[in-house]
Amino acid sequence: SEASDDEFPSQVLVGPTNLAVMPFDLSQTFLPTVKRGSRGMNRVLEPIKSNTACMRLSDALRLCEARTLEAPLSFGSTLHLLQGSAAPCRPCMFERWAGRCGKKWLCDFCHLHAGRRHHSSSSCGGAAGSSGGGKF
């Protein structure tokens, strides 16, 4: 007999998944943002508010601000923003050129390695470290 739709429920993902920030959880991860204060511009960390059921525009804008001259970063790149080149990394195979990955912000893989050769999928190697000591 054929399986009905009730036996295999589908899940529609609207926002990023926890795979983007493994081994952490999205609810425990932060994105840098620029705040204007009485002493000028300050860079502060704010928690990621997006999850699989909800994509927040504020999170997408913060990913855009993190890399202004190229395509926006993905949620898979967020650990680099916090930990620099020491962050666990899984480069996106579609993002060989900035902006090529169709998932854009929602990609669970790192978009910081556009235009760089991937020598190892388990680490960032020297690729991320050669771009200014972990500042992205």
Side-chain angles (χ1 to χ4, degrees):
S1 79
E2 287 188 34
S4 69
D5 289 338
D6 295 333
E7 291 181 47
F8 300 104
S10 299
Q11 182 181 16
V12 177
L13 299 178
V14 178
T17 70
N18 284 325
L19 293 174
V21 293
M22 282 179 52
F24 304 101
D25 188 76
L26 280 169
S27 63
Q28 302 167 337
T29 311
F30 297 82
L31 282 172
T33 189
V34 177
K35 295 272 188 181
R36 292 187 178 108
S38 60
R39 296 183 184 177
M41 306 292 264
N42 295 321
R43 194 171 192 124
V44 297
L45 295 175
E46 288 189 7
I48 291 177
K49 297 174 185 161
S50 299
N51 57 49
T52 56
C54 175
M55 171 63 186
R56 296 286 179 110
L57 179 60
S58 60
D59 289 340
L61 292 174
R62 287 188 285 163
L63 288 169
C64 288
E65 290 173 357
R67 184 168 72 176
T68 57
L69 299 177
E70 295 183 55
L73 294 179
S74 62
F75 280 97
S77 306
T78 58
L79 292 181
H80 280 303
L81 298 173
L82 300 171
Q83 300 175 3
S85 60
C89 181
R90 299 178 313 145
C92 177
M93 65 184 270
F94 299 106
E95 192 71 4
R96 292 185 182 171
W97 300 276
R100 185 162 179 181
C101 178
K103 289 187 174 183
K104 309 287 182 209
W105 301 283
L106 294 177
C107 187
D108 288 329
F109 296 92
C110 183
H111 284 188
L112 273 172
H113 305 283
R116 299 180 186 149
R117 291 185 168 254
H118 304 301
H119 297 289
S120 171
S121 61
S122 62
S123 71
C124 294
S130 64
S131 63
K135 292 184 181 181
F136 298 104

